Amino acid sequence: MDEIDSDIIRSLVRNSRMTLSQMSKEINVPDATISNRLKKLENNVIKQYTLILDPSKMGLIVTAIIIIQTESEKHENVEIELSKLEEVSEVYSISGEYDILIKVWAKSIEELNKIVNSKIRSVDGVEDLTEMIVMERVKEGMIPPI
């Protein structure tokens, strides 16, 4: 990946609906070059095009980060089951005292409590968990440094 590829990715991050001609003007590279590079990036680097939603506009005002200890022989099952929950947007296998970190969205503290107690704690293999309520989103994104 060179500087032109990085510029293409930065342009897409700013506006994924940008046309090739707009990108060509912005980066100062011919349309054909942008098109060829973009196809290669889509095959090797870009996993998918997606939306970034405003959770508060959807009524999701509570975000929680939850760290979970699992029974070691059931760890993979816990990852799979947590990944199926629609309220869980991210699942990470981590090192340290805890085994899994998840991000959960809810409409209220009461709803979060129900999600934790009726869905997350009921997953076979969950031993213990610690919930942390997000007080403020300072920076949030899905793009690694380019």
Side-chain angles (χ1 to χ4, degrees), residues 6-35:
S6 294
D7 288 343
I8 290 170
I9 291 171
R10 283 187 202 95
S11 293
L12 289 170
V13 168
R14 279 191 302 279
N15 178 4
S16 63
R17 297 183 69 170
M18 180 180 289
T19 66
L20 292 178
S21 62
Q22 289 172 319
M23 197 178 303
S24 172
K25 288 175 187 169
E26 183 178 289
I27 300 173
N28 198 25
V29 175
D31 287 10
T33 302
I34 299 287
S35 180

Side-chain angles (χ1 to χ4, degrees), residues 26-93:
E26 183 178 289
I27 300 173
N28 198 25
V29 175
D31 287 10
T33 302
I34 299 287
S35 180
N36 291 333
R37 296 288 191 108
L38 190 53
K39 285 177 187 167
K40 288 178 184 174
L41 287 168
E42 287 172 339
N43 288 330
N44 300 309
V45 178
I46 298 171
K47 291 173 78 171
Q48 72 180 32
Y49 293 94
T50 189
L51 298 171
I52 299 175
L53 303 172
D54 183 342
S56 64
K57 300 264 170 62
M58 300 172 63
L60 299 169
I61 58 172
V62 177
T63 308
I65 305 299
I66 302 174
I67 48 178
I68 300 167
Q69 288 179 330
T70 63
E71 296 175 35
S72 58
E73 66 277 357
K74 296 181 180 178
H75 177 83
E76 190 174 328
N77 177 65
V78 174
E79 291 175 329
I80 292 167
E81 293 304 311
L82 291 173
S83 296
K84 292 178 184 177
L85 299 177
E86 67 179 30
E87 299 89 352
V88 175
S89 63
E90 299 172 45
V91 178
Y92 300 97
S93 184

